[in-house]
Amino acid sequence: MRTSRIPGFYNKEITERQQLLQELYEGTDAEDVLFTKEDLSLPIDTANHMIENVIGTFGLPLGLGLNFYINDKEYIVPMAVEEASVVASASHIAKIVRSAGGFTTEVSERVMIGQIQVVGCEDLESAEAAILSEKTSLLEDANASYPSLERRGGGAKDLEVRIIGEKGASSYQKMLVVHLYVDTCDAMGANMINTMVEALAPTIEQLTRGKVYLRILSNYADQSLAKARCVIPPHLLETKGFSGEAVRDGVIHAYEFARTDPYRAVTHNKGIMNGIDPVIIATGNDWRAVEAGAHAYAARDGQYRSMSTWRKDESGNLVGELELPMSLGVVGGATRVHPTARFALRMLHIQSAKELAGVVVSVGLAQNLGALKALVTEGIQRGHMSLHARSIAIAAGAVDEEIEQVAKELIRLKEIRVGKAQELVASIKK
Ligand code: NDP
């Protein structure tokens, strides 16, 4: 099995890293697309077919999350992100977790939900009954509108009806909502589901004698969940000046803060998305869809809370879990259109959307622990700002060797500010 543990990767030159990867991926289908052989950037002509009013493309750093060992399999995880420390922190925690046996994941069936909104029904209960009496033929019609999905073993599987609007609600507030449950196989499924619900709308109008307005996928993908788990003995958490037990307890205190206080929960969860979004972006998936679903799931009991949980087990180990809706795919959307996304999926060696969902939540959990571990020990600034200093130097106009020179000086002076960096750049250029 190809290892994801590559000691010293951080300190190597970019060309050395690329060379190392080529050796690592020799003989696999990822080899032919490795950096030196094929340009991974998005061609402008392709971009012009993807969205409107195109004038260029936008690049992001692509780094590798290393050390990930998930369900007894090695993963080198491509991450597209502009924020310093994210990739380093995820890799640091993945290394700790692999010493404890790695992450384990559970991924539910991949069922996405399509919604059809019906208004103006005279009697909502009889409209509901009319739809349910035709459930079988409605499911057949949905599948007929996108037959390839059923041929793959997926397709529309079930249908439910919800009545919204309490007694006394206005005609705008009263509605009936049809939920179509669709197994989208390895696709995120938005376009597939939208095709299906649009196809059903005329029949639903006939059955209910109401008017259909919205026919669209719900991004609250709570039937398509992925959960990652790690169990870490405290000695693996020991860090300069802090015992493993102290770090473990600090993490649990930090979790309780995020579980109960929305002000903290938002930042805690932003840290989780720091790990999740870069993988979603690198693989060409729709990160707005994943973000929207994840935050809604964090508020599923009525209060916005921590997405992850952290506790101590009977043996004193730190146990972390992260469960989130994962509306993503390994086909469809930009996954096969963007050259970097194609490359990222080949590098990950991922066979299915379920497998990708498991990797994504594992990275989110690692990122969460990375932030919490720093916060409950030396604080976030030291590690973060030393990396951030390089971006500050570039923003202040430093080029080539000046970048490292200015960054080092900013760290030495403990003044990581653009104003100070500009002064330093000016004095070097003189
Ligand atoms: P696509 O429309 O690209 O459909 C998926 C494609 O993958 C189909 O053409 C299908 O082929 C093909 N395919 C090949 N192998 C498989 C397989 N094993 N399982 C499933 N499909 C396979 O993408 P989606 O329907 O997934 O829609 C995702 C896109 O929709 C994203 O770009 C998203 O941004 C966008 N979107 C999102 C919305 C939202 O989030 N609310 C709303 C609207 C759009 P075949 O046709 O032969 O079956």
Side-chain angles (χ1 to χ4, degrees):
M1 190 169 14
R2 184 181 318 102
T3 182
S4 63
R5 174 95 195 90
I6 314 178
F9 197 72
Y10 180 81
N11 287 319
K12 297 196 189 303
E13 297 293 324
I14 292 175
T15 48
E16 285 180 301
R17 291 183 194 142
Q18 291 170 346
Q19 180 62 36
L20 240 166
L21 282 178
Q22 268 184 311
E23 285 162 21
L24 208 60
Y25 280 84
E26 199 180 343
T28 73
D29 63 351
E31 191 197 5
D32 61 333
V33 288
L34 271 166
F35 309 87
T36 46
K37 293 189 186 166
E38 195 181 294
D39 185 6
L40 289 182
S41 56
L42 180 65
I44 188 134
D45 287 344
T46 310
N48 199 28
H49 292 300
M50 290 170 77
I51 65 159
E52 311 75 35
N53 297 353
V54 167
I55 54 149
T57 58
F58 184 94
L60 275 178
L62 181 71
L64 295 182
L66 297 178
N67 308 321
F68 278 91
Y69 192 66
I70 305 166
N71 299 333
D72 301 325
K73 186 173 166 187
E74 300 275 2
Y75 291 94
I76 295 178
V77 187
M79 299 173 78
V81 62
E82 85 297 348
E83 188 175 341
S85 317
V86 166
V87 174
S89 172
S91 305
H92 166 65
I93 297 299
K95 190 171 152 199
I96 293 176
V97 174
R98 76 185 278 127
S99 307
F103 294 92
T104 51
T105 70
E106 283 167 47
V107 184
S108 71
E109 287 309 307
R110 285 190 41 75
V111 175
M112 300 289 287
I113 304 167
Q115 295 191 298
I116 304 172
Q117 179 199 29
V118 195
V119 305
C121 302
E122 245 169 53
D123 176 6
L124 290 174
E125 274 78 20
S126 39
E128 177 186 18
I131 293 173
L132 292 178
S133 69
E134 292 299 321
K135 184 166 156 173
T136 309
S137 69
L138 284 166
L139 291 177
E140 281 168 9
D141 291 351
N143 284 322
S145 73
Y146 210 107
S148 52
L149 206 47
E150 203 181 18
R151 281 201 295 274
R152 287 194 180 91
K157 299 288 181 192
D158 200 4
L159 179 150
E160 278 180 1
V161 181
R162 294 166 54 211
I163 291 176
I164 296 181
E166 289 161 15
K167 252 202 171 115
S170 76
S171 62
Y172 285 118
Q173 293 163 341
K174 272 192 188 165
M175 66 191 80
L176 189 144
V177 180
V178 180
H179 273 199
L180 183 69
Y181 296 98
V182 183
D183 177 345
T184 57
C185 299
D186 288 316
M188 182 261 204
N191 291 321
M192 296 167 155
I193 287 188
N194 294 346
T195 304
M196 287 184 174
V197 287
E198 286 192 9
L200 292 191
T203 317
I204 296 284
E205 282 191 336
Q206 275 169 14
L207 288 169
T208 59
R209 305 216 181 130
K211 169 149 185 55
V212 166
Y213 276 102
L214 273 59
R215 297 141 290 161
I216 179 107
L217 163 96
S218 165
N219 285 111
Y220 191 34
D222 66 350
Q223 309 293 308
S224 198
L225 297 171
K227 187 197 252 183
R229 187 169 194 265
C230 61
V231 181
I232 309 173
H235 71 271
L236 293 176
L237 294 167
E238 194 180 319
T239 189
K240 261 178 270 154
F242 297 88
S243 71
E245 284 75 13
V247 176
R248 176 200 64 200
D249 292 344
V251 168
I252 298 171
H253 281 298
Y255 155 64
E256 288 297 339
F257 186 7
R259 190 181 67 80
T260 48
D261 176 26
Y263 285 91
R264 175 59 208 148
V266 174
T267 320
H268 178 99
N269 292 342
K270 190 271 180 185
I272 292 174
M273 301 317 285
N274 269 350
I276 288 180
D277 286 343
V279 191
I280 299 290
I281 293 170
T283 54
N285 273 288
D286 182 339
W287 71 93
R288 288 87 55 208
V290 173
E291 280 274 350
H295 293 288
Y297 197 64
R300 64 190 176 282
D301 74 359
Q303 188 190 314
Y304 187 80
R305 297 183 190 280
S306 163
M307 291 171 181
S308 59
T309 61
W310 292 98
R311 64 180 174 82
K312 180 171 82 170
D313 71 10
E314 321 73 56
S315 314
N317 299 315
L318 178 67
V319 182
E321 285 185 345
L322 175 66
E323 181 181 67
L324 288 175
M326 274 296 135
S327 53
L328 46 70
V330 293
V331 291
T335 58
R336 299 284 166 102
V337 175
H338 197 299
T340 316
R342 281 204 305 268
F343 166 73
L345 284 166
R346 287 207 224 174
M347 256 196 102
L348 276 162
H349 244 267
I350 268 179
Q351 310 303 334
S352 66
K354 277 178 146 188
E355 191 181 351
L356 179 60
V359 170
V360 169
V361 281
S362 301
V363 179
L365 189 59
Q367 203 73 52
N368 183 215
L369 182 56
L372 297 184
K373 183 167 173 271
L375 283 168
V376 303
T377 56
E378 64 178 11
I380 208 104
Q381 283 307 76
R382 211 178 70 89
H384 190 75
M385 292 313 269
S386 59
L387 282 159
H388 185 52
R390 289 187 207 146
S391 297
I392 296 275
I394 295 167
V399 290
D400 303 328
E401 309 85 62
E402 293 166 9
I403 299 170
E404 214 49 49
Q405 205 180 332
V406 171
K408 274 195 185 134
E409 192 57 8
L410 291 172
I411 294 163
R412 193 188 66 78
L413 295 168
K414 294 200 175 84
E415 274 195 78
I416 302 168
R417 299 184 293 104
V418 175
K420 189 72 204 169
Q422 280 166 340
E423 277 174 33
L424 294 170
V425 172
S427 74
I428 292 171
K429 291 202 193 289
K430 249 188 223 165

